[in-house]
């Protein structure tokens, strides 16, 4: 396999459940967001809206709403507590939303993956959190209205931050590849 800086960033990216609270500086954040904006989109529609949550006030508001969510059915409170703070100590969360239709879902996920890789190239890791944020928006429509444009659907949500301790390395890849 050819090793270059891009491949190193792709291979270095890992999903984190706990981050170091060190802030992400403006230039690094702009670099990550720019990588997202340069993802391909169906018919070059660029249908998305990126919401970058980074102010301590909004992170706290978001965190408080998350902590107020009812526990998922079947999960004992001790297991939820063991997962730690729902904000994972991350200094940034990015939401990618778009109007439904066309290739919006694919476009938004491609943007998020570009951001994951750009972040990894800067030593910043990420953690997908879409399902919880969807749940949060269902319980707190006011927060949804504050964070994403009216009529938009959330397609991708992730934390970004410098890595804290990681529990498990899921780096090994065992998917099927077939060359014909
Ligand atoms: C669509 C999608 C949903 C995911 N949902 C969660 C999630 O709910 N919680 C979580 O901690 N990680 C979630 N992840 C991260 C995966 O668990 C992770 O990408 C996978 O285990 C491979 O590990 P790696 O990202 O470190 O290579 C999700 C990833 C994707 C792409």
């Amino acid at each position: 396999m050819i090793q270059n800086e891009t491949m190193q960033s792709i291979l270095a990216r890992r999903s984190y459940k706990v981050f170091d609270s060190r802030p992400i500086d403006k230039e690094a954040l702009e670099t990550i967001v720019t990588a997202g904006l340069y993802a391909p989109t169906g018919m070059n529609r660029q249908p998305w809206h990126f919401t970058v949550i980074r102010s301590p006030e909004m992170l706290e508001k978001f965190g408080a709403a998350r902590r107020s969510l009812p526990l998922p059915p079947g999960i004992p409170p001790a297991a939820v507590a063991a997962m730690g703070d729902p904000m994972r100590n991350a200094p940034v969360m990015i939401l990618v939303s778009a109007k439904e239709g066309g290739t919006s879902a694919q476009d938004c996920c491609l943007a998020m993956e570009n951001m994951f890789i750009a972040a990894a190239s800067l030593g910043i890791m990420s953690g997908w959190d879409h399902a919880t944020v969807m749940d949060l928006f269902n319980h707190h429509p006011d927060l949804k209205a504050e964070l994403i444009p009216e009529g938009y659907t959330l397609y991708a949500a992730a934390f970004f931050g410098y890595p804290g301790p990681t529990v498990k390395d899921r780096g090994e890849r065992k998917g099927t590849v077939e060359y014909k």
Side-chain angles (χ1 to χ4, degrees):
M1 185 178 71
I2 295 169
Q3 282 282 1
N4 59 23
E5 277 187 36
T6 304
M7 280 309 294
Q8 281 165 13
S9 301
I10 290 172
L11 299 180
R13 183 210 55 80
R14 284 277 83 75
S15 294
Y16 272 73
K17 293 187 189 298
V18 182
F19 296 90
D20 181 323
S21 60
R22 181 151 62 106
I24 298 177
D25 71 32
K26 191 166 171 274
E27 193 181 13
L29 196 52
E30 281 172 4
T31 303
I32 293 168
V33 169
T34 302
L37 292 172
Y38 275 80
T41 57
M43 299 177 74
N44 195 20
R45 282 170 60 240
Q46 303 175 35
W48 46 47
H49 180 84
F50 292 11
T51 309
V52 182
I53 303 174
R54 61 171 181 166
S55 76
E57 297 76 27
M58 185 49 86
L59 285 166
E60 176 45 37
K61 190 171 179 178
F62 201 77
R66 289 177 67 107
R67 284 188 285 276
S68 76
L69 282 181
L71 296 181
I75 302 191
V80 175
M83 285 156 79
D85 186 274
M87 293 302 284
R88 305 187 186 185
N89 212 23
V92 170
M93 168 161 241
I94 301 180
L95 314 178
V96 185
S97 60
K99 282 194 176 152
E100 284 182 27
T103 54
S104 285
Q106 291 88 343
D107 301 339
C108 290
C109 291
L110 286 164
M112 188 59 94
E113 175 67 353
N114 260 20
M115 291 195 273
F116 285 172
I117 295 165
S121 78
L122 303 171
I124 295 166
M125 293 297 155
S126 48
W128 186 276
D129 197 49
H130 177 250
T132 312
V133 180
M134 288 293 273
D135 193 25
L136 182 79
F137 283 173
N138 287 334
H139 284 87
H140 295 274
D142 50 323
L143 195 57
K144 178 180 179 186
E146 194 174 344
L147 289 170
I148 69 174
E150 195 182 341
Y152 277 47
T153 295
L154 181 73
Y155 284 110
F159 293 107
F160 289 80
Y162 290 93
T166 189
V167 197
K168 196 166 159 187
D169 182 5
R170 293 152 152 171
E172 189 195 343
R173 294 308 195 228
K174 33 186 189 282
T176 301
V177 180
E178 195 179 12
Y179 297 93
K180 300 238 188 210

